[in-house]
Amino acid sequence: MVDLRATSPWQGQDAVEMPGVTICEVPTRLTTLIAPFAGQDAALSEAMEAQFGFGFPKPGEVLGEGSLQCRWFGHRQAILIGATVPESMQEVALITDQSDGWVALQVCGAHAEQVLARVIPVDLAEAAFPMNSTARTVCGHMMISVTRMGEDRFEIMGFRSMAQSLVHEIVQAAGLVAARAGLP
């Protein structure tokens, strides 16, 4: 019998550590896309508030904390991380399991902002992009979501099929930042 088990999109690669920045894979977790049906925004937000303790996020917003979060994910779309959506919500929203479709990377360290500034065309300075801010944008040629998780910690979500390219783009940018700063 064939054993079908999902493997890491990193294919066993260890975290990449460079001066001032570490790039590592975030373990796969339950990830669900939620998009309210026309005219059901308020009903969905109320159902989410009752179920999870927070409603539907506004553009650029992250609600919840720790392993349970709901992030704005585009026009009238959110991504719920870490919880199962009850079937009753299917009456007011499109619900799709996206767990196997995305890879999440953590980029952290004193130079994380500088590294990401080379490959992501969004102002990630803390004044413009504070804790729990999120944006849909590009990294190189790939569509991604970027979320500030801490003072010098970001989470990048990209298509699983482009995991190696995403890592390559960020590692290459980290090397350039290190070289420019004269770091070993």
Side-chain angles (χ1 to χ4, degrees), residues 3 32 36 111:
D3 183 14
T32 307
H111 297 296

Side-chain angles (χ1 to χ4, degrees), residues 72-103:
W72 177 82
F73 213 60
H75 178 67
R76 300 187 72 236
Q77 295 179 26
I79 200 100
L80 180 69
I81 299 169
T84 302
V85 178
E87 287 187 30
S88 61
M89 281 192 206
Q90 292 180 7
E91 297 172 15
V92 295
L94 172 69
I95 311 289
T96 15
D97 183 352
Q98 300 280 310
S99 304
D100 292 336
W102 295 88
V103 62

Side-chain angles (χ1 to χ4, degrees), residues 13 28 33 42 49 60 68 82-83 86 102 117 135 144 172-173:
Q13 178 178 325
T28 302
L33 182 75
E49 182 73 44
L68 176 61
W102 295 88
I144 63 151
Q172 195 171 33

Side-chain angles (χ1 to χ4, degrees), residues 127-177:
F129 200 77
M131 173 77 168
N132 286 328
S133 292
T134 192
R136 287 296 300 268
T137 184
V138 294
C139 177
H141 63 284
M142 298 160 283
M143 293 300 302
I144 63 151
S145 168
V146 59
T147 304
R148 182 182 281 274
M149 306 296 288
E151 183 180 339
D152 61 357
R153 187 167 54 102
F154 296 86
E155 185 173 302
I156 312 296
M157 288 180 67
F159 294 121
R160 181 184 178 93
S161 62
M162 302 190 104
Q164 294 298 316
S165 295
L166 183 59
V167 171
H168 174 78
E169 289 282 340
I170 296 171
V171 168
Q172 195 171 33
L176 293 172
V177 168

